[in-house]
Amino acid sequence: MNDLYHWLHVTMKALAESGTLPRSLMYEFVVNGLLCALFIGPLLGALGTMVVVKRMAFFSQAIGNAALTGVAIGIMLGESYSSPYVSMFSFCILFGITLKYTQYRTSLPNDTLIGVFLSISLALGASLLLYVSAKINTHVMESVLFGSILTVDSIDMNILIVVTLVCAGIGMPLYNHMLLASLNPSLAHARGVHVRTLEYVFVVLLTFVTVACLKVVGAVLVEALLLIPAAAARNVSRTLGQFVTGSIVIATLSCLLGVLLPMQLELPVPTGGAIIMVAASIFVLTTIIRATFPGFRSAGV
Amino acid sequence: MGTVATGPAIVFDDVGLQLGGTPILAGVSFRIEAGALHCIVGPNGGGKTSLIRSLLGQMPHTGTIRREGDGITGYVPQAVDFDRHVPMTVRDVMALISQRRPAFFGTSSKHRRAIESALERMGVAAKSQRPFGGLSGGERQRVLFAQALHPSPQLLILDEPTANIDEPGAQIVEDVVLELNAQGVTVVWINHDWPQVRRLAHRVTGINRRVIFEGAPAEVLTWAEPQVAAP
């Protein structure tokens, strides 16, 4: 893969120097950022539709916060400061499964339980990060919290590619069953769908995606990129196809523009923040479209 | 019954169920014959839906529920608890339930004809491109009934499918149920419409936490109706 990345960097640089492409593409980290955007966009866009339908917005935020704890644990265990993936994946999966397991065994409303776990993950993450902060450069923390394409390397991109392939390989064949299980568990069960198993599978996929996207989008904002494109697409969609396609297009566009615009306009904005601001602008636009045109007002009902 | 029975028989043997320590069902034993149209009646809160959900494998229970024979199960739930705000057309809903290919790619050619046919049968083919959430409660119930027709079931489980449906819709449901049953499909139908039960059912079982009566409608309903209807 490294050869492929190298070839891409050289090609893009040559095209940028010749004036065919924007000059910012001369830099490796911008090309890396765009590559990541091309994977993250479709991944988060497609998964986001499921998050919106399943009403799991705060669930993914809790996972993002748990990643902070994962980073701290990784650093304490001696993992690489910039890519403590083993700890992040392990802790977040454990956290997500525990949360889901608890959901099935308590009568508490979902939002209350997720709120409790979200607070726990934030408190634990903040405490441990404070403990390890003396050992590391604060920019590492900043990049985990808000994302930074400057720190994206080939390992991050490889992980992102593997996660994208795994999620597509598992998520696509199970998409209908997962959606049906969240829309009407009783009917899904009658159709032979293993509702609980699929809930756990979804939690694991969501965790994979959240952790894999941290370096680019950041722990605080990854949840927003799961939600905003799907919410924007939902504003103007009448069919499931439009909903999913729209969410993927909006998420990908947001990622690409979020990486490119700060470079082109020389704005001191972190990648994650820029991506979310672009996505939020599209959301506002679709909300206005929905409110203005009667045809869209009946979309989704 | 004069038909070749292709649907399975179902045997409930000493089935019991508790929810949060509260007994819902106790010692429920009866048999649904293969190819029968078997109605389950009883007061609200008597455990009929819990029994059906146990049959579908959705609720942990004691005792045994045995299916004698294989075949696809079609199920029409009591409540239409779909999220009405999800942008999905009627065709999307049918594709989502019926096919493996992700529904956002559209209806697969393999299922398209059967889905259209099921919607036509339930009188909602004209609504196939309409948002599912924008349909009336009765229309949504008809769509849910249509999904139970594809793939062709050998066992049809109906949990008050006509509760929200107008008279023409209820007539369509009745016609389709009778047609399927005539082909040998076993029908298990939770039904509060006693005249309809008396008219259609081969057997009827009254459930109020336990089996309170069981037999041919003409034999048991005459004396059972006032008791079950009483508060």
Side-chain angles (χ1 to χ4, degrees), chain B residues 12-69:
Chain B
F12 296 89
D13 186 8
D14 198 24
V15 173
L17 174 66
Q18 289 199 342
L19 278 181
T22 309
I24 305 296
L25 294 168
V28 172
S29 298
F30 67 99
R31 179 184 174 89
I32 296 173
E33 296 296 337
L37 197 166
H38 196 120
C39 284
I40 297 174
V41 298
N44 292 330
K48 303 181 298 298
T49 296
S50 297
L51 185 70
I52 289 298
R53 292 187 64 194
S54 299
L55 168 60
L56 289 166
Q58 295 174 11
M59 295 187 97
H61 55 84
T62 57
T64 54
I65 301 175
R66 198 169 63 250
R67 278 176 68 143
E68 295 177 352

Side-chain angles (χ1 to χ4, degrees), chain B residues 8 15 28 42 46 64 82 146 163 170 172 179 189 193 198 206 215 220 226:
Chain B
V15 173
V28 172
T64 54
F82 272 90
I172 291 174
E179 189 186 325
W189 187 347
D193 183 348
R198 194 174 282 120
V220 297

Side-chain angles (χ1 to χ4, degrees), chain A residues 238-241, chain B residues 87-97 103 106 128:
Chain A
R238 293 176 67 90
T239 70
L240 196 59
Chain B
M88 287 195 302
T89 62
V90 168
R91 193 176 282 173
D92 286 334
V93 172
M94 293 294 284
L96 180 77
I97 298 171
S128 68

